[in-house]
Amino acid sequence: MAHAKLAALAVLVVIVLHGSTRALAIDQMPATMTLNGFERGEGEPAECDGQYHNNNEMLAALSTRWYAGGIRCQKMISIRNTQNGRTVQARVVDECDSRHGCKDNIVDTSVAVWNALGLDTNIGEVPVTWSDS
């Protein structure tokens, strides 16, 4: 009987944890996209893995509240340019730390993301939406 109760409790914990992870899923969240450099010499290594990354890769850093303690590390997100409708996938590798100057609505991306969305990097900030993939 004790084993059956433990098994039932384990199943319940798995269901609750799975449900809480799903509750964090984001779909078409309005944000401001900014340009970030992920290579050595352009700032600190990425928060997710402590590494530098090539700016030709589709990369993103999320504001602290969306970074959520690393829950999105190495996961893909969809970023949609609200001006032309283009959508791309980018991998979350870093946090844009809202406690140290980053606004709380930022998707900070590599030049590759800007290029794929058909944007001029000289603009600096553009409205986008983003979603968990």
Side-chain angles (χ1 to χ4, degrees), residues 48-105:
C48 290
D49 59 9
Q51 302 294 312
Y52 292 100
H53 297 272
N54 187 315
N55 289 327
N56 293 321
E57 295 177 53
M58 304 291 281
L59 303 172
L62 297 175
S63 292
T64 300
R65 69 182 169 131
W66 294 331
Y67 181 76
I71 196 167
R72 292 185 171 87
C73 277
Q74 306 303 330
K75 297 208 164 80
M76 300 300 286
I77 61 171
S78 296
I79 303 168
R80 181 178 173 272
N81 177 345
T82 59
Q83 297 170 338
N84 66 18
R86 288 186 188 175
T87 301
V88 299
Q89 300 280 309
R91 182 168 48 100
V92 175
V93 296
D94 205 359
E95 173 184 15
C96 187
D97 194 338
S98 300
R99 297 163 300 212
H100 294 99
C102 186
K103 296 177 186 172
D104 70 350
N105 67 332

Side-chain angles (χ1 to χ4, degrees), residues 1-131:
M1 184 69 166
H3 292 299
K5 286 182 180 179
L6 284 176
L9 179 60
V11 169
L12 181 61
V13 167
V14 169
I15 290 170
V16 167
L17 288 176
H18 180 50
S20 66
T21 301
R22 291 305 229 166
L24 295 175
I26 290 181
D27 186 35
Q28 298 301 311
M29 175 66 69
T32 299
M33 188 173 79
T34 56
L35 180 64
N36 188 30
F38 294 88
E39 294 182 355
R40 185 178 302 278
E42 297 178 319
E44 299 295 319
E47 187 70 26
C48 290
D49 59 9
Q51 302 294 312
Y52 292 100
H53 297 272
N54 187 315
N55 289 327
N56 293 321
E57 295 177 53
M58 304 291 281
L59 303 172
L62 297 175
S63 292
T64 300
R65 69 182 169 131
W66 294 331
Y67 181 76
I71 196 167
R72 292 185 171 87
C73 277
Q74 306 303 330
K75 297 208 164 80
M76 300 300 286
I77 61 171
S78 296
I79 303 168
R80 181 178 173 272
N81 177 345
T82 59
Q83 297 170 338
N84 66 18
R86 288 186 188 175
T87 301
V88 299
Q89 300 280 309
R91 182 168 48 100
V92 175
V93 296
D94 205 359
E95 173 184 15
C96 187
D97 194 338
S98 300
R99 297 163 300 212
H100 294 99
C102 186
K103 296 177 186 172
D104 70 350
N105 67 332
I106 298 296
V107 177
D108 208 13
T109 59
S110 62
V111 68
V113 172
W114 283 71
N115 291 340
L117 289 172
L119 294 167
D120 178 356
T121 57
N122 292 318
I123 296 171
E125 293 186 354
V126 293
V128 297
T129 60
W130 74 274
S131 304

